[in-house]
Amino acid sequence: MQYVSAITGALVECVATCMCRVVSRVLGDLNPRFSTIIDAFVGTFLVVAAFNYTGGYFNPALATSLKYGCLGTSSLEHVIVYWIGACIGSIASLRVYRMPFVQNFVQLQESTDAVYS
């Protein structure tokens, strides 16, 4: 893993956590045939994309159990990246999910499913 600043790490965890949560919620609403597989694929893709920067945990408790106290990272940096970054990303996902483009996508998919059912 390459060294990144705590702010960059927090931003990576924030954005990836937000994306992961929004995709999971949309899939939960739409309940497509392979939603579990799609959700796992998206989550895995995001972990791989973030791996070199933060490890891609998107879960503060998991990150703490696996990474807290690692050499080269202070407690404050850990909290900023894995707790503040991920928590802000989770909260932001609530706002992003309510955005018109996401809601329009969900409604369009639901109406398309109704036509083909």
Side-chain angles (χ1 to χ4, degrees):
M1 200 165 13
Q2 66 186 3
Y3 176 79
V4 297
S5 71
I7 299 302
T8 301
L11 185 61
V12 168
E13 286 286 315
C14 177
V15 170
T17 299
C18 181
M19 291 172 61
C20 196
R21 301 288 182 259
V22 169
V23 167
S24 289
R25 183 131 184 225
V26 167
L27 288 170
D29 285 350
L30 297 177
N31 197 20
R33 175 180 263 177
F34 301 107
S35 62
T36 306
I37 295 169
I38 296 167
D39 193 31
F41 175 79
V42 170
T44 302
F45 174 78
L46 290 170
V47 167
V48 170
F51 186 78
N52 285 336
Y53 300 100
T54 64
Y57 291 101
F58 320 140
N59 177 329
L62 178 63
T64 298
S65 68
L66 296 174
K67 297 294 277 185
Y68 188 75
C70 282
L71 186 63
T73 305
S74 71
S75 295
L76 180 59
E77 290 172 325
H78 179 87
V79 168
I80 290 170
V81 172
Y82 297 110
W83 283 90
I84 295 173
C87 288
I88 290 173
S90 290
I91 292 166
S93 74
L94 300 172
R95 303 278 265 169
V96 170
Y97 178 77
R98 292 186 196 124
M99 290 181 148
F101 75 92
V102 175
Q103 291 303 305
N104 290 341
F105 175 78
V106 170
Q107 290 171 357
L108 178 65
Q109 296 304 311
E110 287 175 338
S111 65
T112 302
D113 288 347
V115 169
Y116 290 112
S117 293

